[in-house]
Amino acid sequence: MSAHRPFAPSTNTMAREGVEVGPQHQIGERQGALPGPLTIISAGMHGNEPAGVLALQRILAHLQATDAPIRGRFVALAGNISALRCGLRYIDRDLNRQWDRGSLDRLQSEGLRGYAEDIEQQELLQDFETLTRHHLGTVNLLDLHTMSAKGVPFIVTCDSQDSRTLANQLLLPGIAGLEKAIPGTTLEHFLAQGYRAVAVEGGQHRDPRAVDLLEAVSWRMLVVTGILDQSQVPDLAAKEQLLLAEAAGSPQHVVVRYRHGVAPEDGFEMLPGFRNLQAVRAGQVLARDRSGEVVAPQDGFILLPLYQKSGNDGFFIGS
Ligand SMILES: [Zn+2]
C-alpha cells in the first residue's frame, strides 16, 4: 500500500518540518492478556499537527518500557502519513473533510482519483475494518488535533449522552455541534459507525505544550475506557491537574451556533489576538475580508479562529 505514497520520508526538502512516521498507519499497539475494550487513538489526520503523534509515541514507549498490564487492546494510529512527513496540513485535499457518506460512496464507486488523501483514507478504512472485525464490544475512539489559535483546549463531542459523558471524563470543556458545522470529519463517520468517539483540540500547532496536553488527555482516555488501571499512568494526578488548569474559568459545555466559512478569494484575515473559547459580543469586529469588517453575529464564545493559511473555517461561535 505504501508503495503508492508519493512522498518519501526525509528526502523531501520540507521534511525538516515533518514528523517521523513509518510506512504503516499503525504507530503501535498494546494487547492485554485479559479481554476488554478496544480503544483507538488517532493523530495527525492533519499533517501540520504532529503533537498528537509525538504524544502517542511517548505513551507507547512508556507502556513498552514498563510492560504495564493492560486490559483489552490499545491501538495508536497516524492519519495523513504523507502530509505528516512534510509538515503540511494536507497534500491534495483535507483528509478530515472527506468522511461524509457521499465522499465515501464516491471513493468506493470511482476508486482512487490520484489524490494523495484518497490513498490515505482507503488505507485507514482498511485498518479500521481489520481492527474492529472481531471485536464484539464498544469501540472507543479519540482523534487528536491541534489548532492554529492560542486558547483553551477542548473535546469535540456530539449530541449523544455517551459522548458528553466521555468528554466530561476527559476533564476539558466539551463542544457539541462541530461535527454538523464541519461535514466530513472522521468523527462524523465513526459516530455513524456506532463508535464511542470524540476528538480533542489540544493546544496550538507546534507548541511543545500541546504534546503534553494531548498526552494527558490520551492517558485519561486509556484509564476511563478501562484499558489501564490508573496506577499504571506516570504522574496521573499532575496530568489531570494540567487539564483542569487549562479548563478553569471556561464553560463546561458549549454548542456551536454559527460557522463563518471562508474561500481563498475572500482575503479573510482574523484580527490578531483572539483566543479559542474567548467570550465575544454581537457586533464585535473579529476579522476583515475583501468586503470589509466581519463581525460576530451573536454573543458567545469564539471557537477555532483561523490563524493559518489553509482552511475553510474562519471561526465558529458557540454558546
Ligand atoms: Zn486538525
Side-chain angles (χ1 to χ4, degrees), residues 86-292:
C86 306
L88 296 171
R89 190 166 176 81
Y90 51 82
I91 303 296
D92 298 316
R93 321 179 114 206
D94 191 330
L95 178 61
N96 203 34
R97 299 289 183 276
Q98 56 184 42
W99 296 81
D100 54 290
R101 195 64 263 161
S103 301
L104 289 165
D105 287 347
R106 259 197 312 282
L107 183 67
Q108 201 169 33
S109 61
E110 296 172 23
L112 300 175
R113 294 161 294 181
Y115 301 123
E117 278 70 24
D118 280 3
I119 299 169
E120 303 284 348
Q121 188 174 28
Q122 196 173 61
E123 290 175 355
L124 284 166
L125 283 164
Q126 275 168 12
D127 285 354
F128 274 98
E129 212 279 313
T130 308
L131 288 172
T132 57
R133 192 181 300 151
H134 301 297
H135 182 76
L136 298 175
T138 306
V139 181
N140 304 296
L141 174 67
L142 173 65
D143 190 28
L144 308 180
H145 288 261
T146 50
M147 48 197 171
S148 61
K150 291 183 178 164
V152 181
F154 62 91
I155 305 296
V156 185
T157 72
C158 67
D159 280 340
S160 84
Q161 188 55 48
D162 210 24
S163 173
R164 280 187 194 203
T165 305
L166 186 55
N168 287 342
Q169 289 174 311
L170 298 178
L171 308 180
L172 291 174
I175 311 294
L178 266 177
E179 87 285 0
K180 290 188 189 117
I182 309 177
T185 61
T186 49
L187 192 59
E188 175 187 342
H189 170 67
F190 290 109
L191 284 168
Q193 296 286 303
Y195 287 29
R196 190 161 167 249
V198 292
V200 55
E201 294 283 354
Q204 199 174 21
H205 307 327
R206 312 277 170 196
D207 182 354
R209 196 174 159 73
V211 185
D212 297 336
L213 286 166
L214 291 175
E215 185 190 348
V217 176
S218 299
W219 281 116
R220 273 290 298 184
M221 180 76 177
L222 294 177
V223 171
V224 302
T225 57
I227 295 281
L228 275 183
D229 185 83
Q230 48 185 338
S231 63
Q232 300 298 332
V233 180
D235 301 321
L236 180 62
K239 291 180 169 65
E240 290 171 345
Q241 203 46 51
L242 181 72
L243 298 172
L244 290 168
E246 288 288 328
S250 294
Q252 205 190 358
H253 190 72
V254 171
V255 178
V256 173
R257 309 287 179 190
Y258 174 79
R259 168 185 180 260
H260 185 85
V262 299
E265 61 271 22
D266 292 346
F268 176 87
E269 206 165 326
M270 280 302 300
L271 297 193
F274 283 104
R275 297 171 64 83
N276 189 58
L277 269 175
Q278 179 179 335
V280 293
R281 304 302 306 259
Q284 185 176 345
V285 180
L286 304 180
R288 290 183 209 289
D289 63 17
R290 56 190 293 179
S291 316

Side-chain angles (χ1 to χ4, degrees), residues 28 48 70 75 150 210 262:
N48 62 336
I70 74 164
V75 181
K150 291 183 178 164
V262 299

Side-chain angles (χ1 to χ4, degrees), residues 25-42:
H25 289 273
Q26 190 157 321
I27 303 170
E29 78 163 294
R30 302 297 290 173
Q31 172 104 47
L34 294 170
L38 170 59
T39 295
I40 301 169
I41 306 185
S42 54

